[in-house]
Amino acid sequence: QVQVVESGGGLVQPGDSLRLSCAASARSNNGVTMAWFRVAPGQEREFVAAIRWNGGDTHYADSVKGRFIISGERAKTTMYLQMNRLKPEDTAVYYCAVDRSRVILSALRVGQSYDFWGQGTQVTVSS
């Protein structure tokens, strides 16, 4: 079993920045894939960004590309999401997802591709 814990959410104003963190108890493994998803009020779960440790490639939803940056520390199996120029439409509960394999490109944006999830952290962007 892998424990996944997010932190860093909060209330910010439009245009502000915020950094989310995700720590996973999985042993460092080159095949691990970690991702962020979000659920806005009344909306379905949405892919935000993902990183695959084997290769270090990153992937983003079009809605956050150029504003959000995903990164991590492979040895610690810790991932970050730096969110810049936040907008009210970024308001959501953000979830960290982990899979102990190298998820193929076509499945990166699908929630069912990930076996372990955190409890979520609330991000509210409002003036």
Side-chain angles (χ1 to χ4, degrees):
Q1 190 73 9
V2 175
Q3 302 297 319
V4 181
V5 180
E6 307 101 331
S7 61
L11 171 63
V12 296
Q13 296 187 340
D16 284 353
S17 297
L18 201 60
R19 189 174 88 153
L20 305 182
S21 299
C22 172
S25 63
R27 269 176 35 183
S28 177
N29 184 326
N30 283 343
V32 169
T33 303
M34 298 180 74
W36 291 98
F37 287 79
R38 66 186 182 185
V39 180
Q43 303 293 317
E44 294 187 351
R45 183 172 58 193
E46 175 190 23
F47 169 80
V48 177
I51 184 168
R52 299 191 295 183
W53 293 128
N54 188 0
D57 52 302
T58 57
H59 306 268
Y60 297 92
D62 288 343
S63 58
V64 306
K65 197 174 295 183
R67 298 188 299 123
F68 291 11
I69 302 171
I70 189 171
S71 63
E73 298 179 60
R74 181 183 299 184
K76 298 180 182 179
T77 324
T78 299
M79 174 178 66
Y80 307 101
L81 186 68
Q82 177 66 42
M83 304 185 293
N84 301 318
R85 304 198 306 276
L86 282 161
K87 305 175 181 179
E89 50 263 45
D90 294 318
T91 295
V93 178
Y94 284 71
Y95 295 89
C96 175
V98 179
D99 194 80
R100 290 179 294 187
S101 69
R102 180 176 169 81
V103 176
I104 61 173
L105 279 177
S106 60
L108 271 177
R109 300 164 189 259
V110 179
Q112 287 86 344
S113 299
Y114 301 87
D115 290 334
F116 304 100
W117 292 78
Q119 80 288 349
T121 185
Q122 176 71 47
V123 173
T124 303
V125 185
S126 174
S127 55

